[in-house]
Amino acid sequence: ATTEIYPLSLHDALPISLKLELTSLRSRSVTSLSGGELRRSLIARALIQGASVTLLDEPLASLDWPSQELLMALLRERSQQGHGLLVIALHCLNLASLYTDELIILSQGAVIGHEESGVILNSPLIKEAFQDDPFSIKHPRYGVFQRLPQGMG
């Protein structure tokens, strides 16, 4: 037996499916999907439901770099269009700073800071949260701060 994911609304499902590059998967069973394909399918299913609040826990896991940016762009677009509140738990702070308006930094389960996304990655909160002080640079195109690992040197 195969398990299939059915969209709740064709009107809402098609744009999301196109943007997450899912239309070519429609004839495949869920059990034949890769981890990234399954992840994108489940996120699409959550978005299509049209909830007033959507919580996504590490939605970028199992996704390659292009798919991560594709998903973050879609999430930002939907948020800007007023499709409800979107709360995302991420470890990829660089992508978060590019695609979100605000970041909340947690350390050991407690909120230690909340700032505008483009600023917070240059804040002492990062060192406090991660017990590390990576290099901070401004993104060449968007001007928001990004963090780079210290490397081996």
Side-chain angles (χ1 to χ4, degrees):
T2 62
T3 305
E4 295 182 19
I5 298 172
Y6 294 98
L8 298 178
S9 163
L10 185 57
H11 173 73
D12 292 330
L14 189 56
I16 292 171
S17 295
L18 287 170
K19 288 183 180 179
L20 291 179
E21 300 175 349
L22 297 172
T23 54
S24 64
L25 308 178
R26 67 179 172 246
S27 63
R28 292 176 49 194
S29 75
V30 170
T31 57
S32 74
L33 301 178
S34 71
E37 291 167 338
L38 180 60
R39 172 72 53 142
R40 291 193 333 262
S41 298
L42 293 172
I43 290 169
R45 179 177 159 185
L47 296 176
I48 291 165
Q49 292 180 27
S52 60
V53 177
T54 302
L55 304 173
L56 297 174
D57 185 17
E58 292 294 340
L60 305 181
S62 302
L63 298 181
D64 59 23
W65 183 260
S67 295
Q68 289 178 357
E69 287 208 272
L70 191 76
L71 176 59
M72 291 300 291
L74 173 64
L75 295 174
R76 178 160 182 87
E77 176 185 300
R78 290 188 57 79
S79 176
Q80 290 177 330
Q81 292 173 348
H83 290 280
L85 176 66
L86 187 57
V87 180
I88 309 169
L90 290 174
H91 281 93
C92 186
L93 299 179
N94 286 334
L95 277 176
S97 75
L98 288 171
Y99 290 97
T100 64
D101 296 321
E102 300 174 41
L103 291 177
I104 298 171
I105 302 293
L106 303 173
S107 180
Q108 299 184 16
V111 174
I112 63 167
H114 171 248
E115 281 188 64
E116 181 183 320
S117 297
V119 175
I120 201 166
L121 292 189
N122 198 39
S123 159
L125 291 172
I126 299 301
K127 185 174 184 179
E128 181 183 342
F130 298 100
Q131 289 78 49
D132 191 19
D133 194 18
F135 294 107
S136 178
I137 62 168
K138 281 198 170 189
H139 190 283
R141 184 174 293 150
Y142 302 109
V144 298
F145 283 100
Q146 300 280 278
R147 300 310 290 244
L148 297 177
Q150 299 228 5
M152 296 174 57

